[in-house]
Structure formats: C-alpha cells, structure tokens
Amino acid sequence: MPEGDTVWRTARRLDEALGRRVLTRSDFRVPRFATTELAGRVVHEALSRGKHLLIRVDGSITVHTHLRMDGSWRIWPARRPPPRDHRVRLVLENADWQAVGYLLGVVEVLPTTLEDRAVGHLGPDLLGPDWDAAEAVRRLSGEPGRPVGEALLDQRKLAGIGNLYKCEALFVERTNPWTQVGNVADLRRLVVTAQRLMRVNRDHPEQSTTGMSGRGREHWVYRRAGSACRRCRTPIRHEIQGAAPYQRDTFWCPTCQPAR
Ligand SMILES: [Zn+2]
C-alpha cells in the first residue's frame, strides 16, 4: 500500500500536469460517475490529504481518489487515445497531458465545500502544511490501551503514515510495537520522528530511513526479518499485528525494542 510520501508526490505530479489548465477530456470509468463530464473546466489544483488525493475543479467540484492497495496515476503527453485497459478508472486530459488513474480504490465527485465528508475524519497530515504534532499526540492518547503499532496506522489519529514508516519510527525510538500507547515513554518524540522520516523522503521515491541508499541498506527493520539488527546484530523479528482487515506485517528488534 502506498505511503503518504508516495501520495504526496503523486499529488504534486498531478498538480504540475493538470493544475491551472483547461480539461479537454474527462472519462470516469466507474458506474456512479460514468456520465460526469468535466471537459471545458479549469483544474485549480491537485493536493493530498493523508493518503487521499483531491483534484479541485472550476465550479466548486472536487474529484476525490484514493490509491488503496494497488492504485496509481500515470501521466504522459496528450494527443493519443486513452488506453482501453480494464484497470483504468479515470482519465483526465488537457491540451498537454493525459493523466490516467489505474485501479483506484476510490473515485468520487463531490462539491468542494463538502470535502470534509471524504477527508474530515483524518488526523493531522504528516506532510500537510497544517501538520500539528500536539494534536496527533492528543488523538493517540485518546486510546491509551491500544498497541502503539496499531494506533500509529489509524488515519484518524495522524494521516499519511503507513506500515514502513510505522516500523521504522518505532525502531528509531526503541519502542516495541505491542507497547500500549499509554506506556510509550515519549509519544511526542515518536510522532515527530515518524514525521521527520517521511519528510526527508517526500521529494524522492527511495524511502530511505537509514540515510543510506542502495538495495538492502535503506531500512532499519522493515522487510529485514532474520537479518541482523544494524545496531546490535540481533536477528530482526516479524509478526502480523492487528485484527482483520487491518493486519499488517510488523518488523522489530527484540533487543533494541524490548516489550514493556
Ligand atoms: Zn537491535
């Protein structure tokens, strides 16, 4: 599943291709909006809120999409027929660019004034201009008995974080994923670390949390089950955490991140 930094970059690419230009084509390939026509309207901007994408169009219209597990947007020069591919959910095109949304988990059109119906439940956006660490801590603290590895993924508490940054932030802060939120030594520090790790990767796709690049060197614990911890050489452990449908692979070092 794409993390918030991937979604942030997707929003920036959509904004660069579509923003402040007139749409020449819209092709919604989802039944509910099959007859929606946006050609002739100016796109004001595209932006991300957590892992949600909002494309704001003239006439107070917002196109709300979400990549969910497998979605992606691809952008290429216009003036070719849109792909006849059953995976395509939405095509937006102007005189210069064609943006094609594949396997989008959500495609809906709503009044811009009602965007809160789509994204109003979200906690502070880790990559948003209104990021608010204190509010994220307040929301997390509302469920002190919850394992922190689960709580960090709850988009109502802080928006944009996914499994990779959850695992890596917990390692950096030496926090066991099953520690209850109320027992985390410094919740603010953990949240700030998660934000910092995402922020440094916002502008490029490598997603390195160690500061190193190159295959197998980018992460502390994520997808390193059985490999030696980079701090203490203990083998990294892996387990599924959380109940369906929110089960996620969790990776941690039992020495650096002891249960408490
Ligand atoms: Zn270790």
Side-chain angles (χ1 to χ4, degrees):
M1 178 179 277
E3 306 253 345
D5 56 335
T6 302
V7 179
W8 188 92
R9 277 193 308 282
T10 301
R12 189 174 61 177
R13 287 194 299 118
L14 285 169
D15 188 66
E16 287 167 358
L18 301 178
R20 298 148 302 276
R21 289 184 167 98
V22 179
L23 289 171
T24 54
R25 182 202 303 270
S26 74
D27 183 358
F28 288 83
R29 301 186 190 174
V30 290
R32 192 169 148 216
F33 298 101
T35 60
T36 299
E37 177 57 79
L38 299 178
R41 296 178 185 272
V42 174
V43 172
H44 293 308
E45 61 179 337
L47 65 153
S48 62
R49 283 289 294 145
K51 297 191 198 177
H52 297 252
L53 287 160
L54 303 174
I55 302 173
R56 291 176 178 157
V57 182
D58 192 34
S60 191
I61 296 166
T62 292
V63 179
H64 166 225
T65 62
H66 195 295
L67 304 179
R68 291 271 190 255
M69 296 306 280
D70 302 312
S72 64
W73 278 92
R74 298 179 206 173
I75 299 168
W76 43 61
R79 293 183 292 277
R80 64 161 134 165
R84 299 160 71 91
D85 184 326
H86 71 279
R87 297 171 302 166
V88 173
R89 300 287 181 271
L90 174 58
V91 180
L92 296 173
E93 184 176 328
N94 57 37
D96 300 312
W97 300 104
Q98 185 178 88
V100 181
Y102 287 83
L103 295 173
L104 304 174
V106 174
V107 177
E108 64 170 349
V109 180
L110 70 167
T112 300
T113 50
L114 298 181
E115 278 179 3
D116 268 3
R117 285 186 186 172
V119 296
H121 64 288
L122 295 175
D125 185 346
L126 287 139
L127 296 178
D130 54 349
W131 164 242
D132 181 345
E135 174 63 11
V137 168
R138 192 188 68 78
R139 288 181 179 227
L140 285 165
S141 304
E143 286 184 273
R146 205 164 166 197
V148 66
E150 286 180 44
L152 279 180
L153 292 177
D154 185 339
Q155 303 291 302
R156 294 168 300 184
K157 304 198 183 304
L158 65 176
I161 192 171
N163 205 32
L164 188 164
Y165 291 106
K166 173 207 80 178
C167 293
E168 297 292 282
L170 288 170
F171 175 82
V172 170
E173 292 305 327
R174 298 179 181 267
T175 303
N176 185 276
W178 280 268
T179 299
Q180 294 184 351
V181 168
N183 292 334
V184 172
D186 190 338
L187 205 49
R188 182 184 170 88
R189 201 181 145 109
L190 176 62
V191 163
V192 167
T193 292
Q195 198 266 348
R196 179 176 57 79
L197 293 178
M198 282 183 69
R199 181 61 222 256
V200 298
N201 285 295
R202 195 181 72 171
D203 298 315
H204 57 84
E206 285 79 20
Q207 294 186 317
S208 170
T209 51
T210 57
M212 296 185 285
S213 57
R215 208 175 155 75
R217 304 176 65 201
E218 306 101 314
H219 303 140
W220 295 105
V221 292
Y222 185 70
R223 291 191 176 160
R224 294 193 67 240
S227 298
C229 172
R230 298 189 196 284
R231 275 190 195 135
C232 73
R233 312 309 294 169
T234 303
I236 301 300
R237 288 194 58 194
H238 165 240
E239 255 183 54
I240 303 292
Q241 185 173 25
Y246 301 110
Q247 295 156 320
R248 294 289 181 272
D249 295 288
T250 285
F251 302 86
W252 80 104
C253 171
T255 302
C256 294
Q257 299 165 267
R260 48 175 287 162

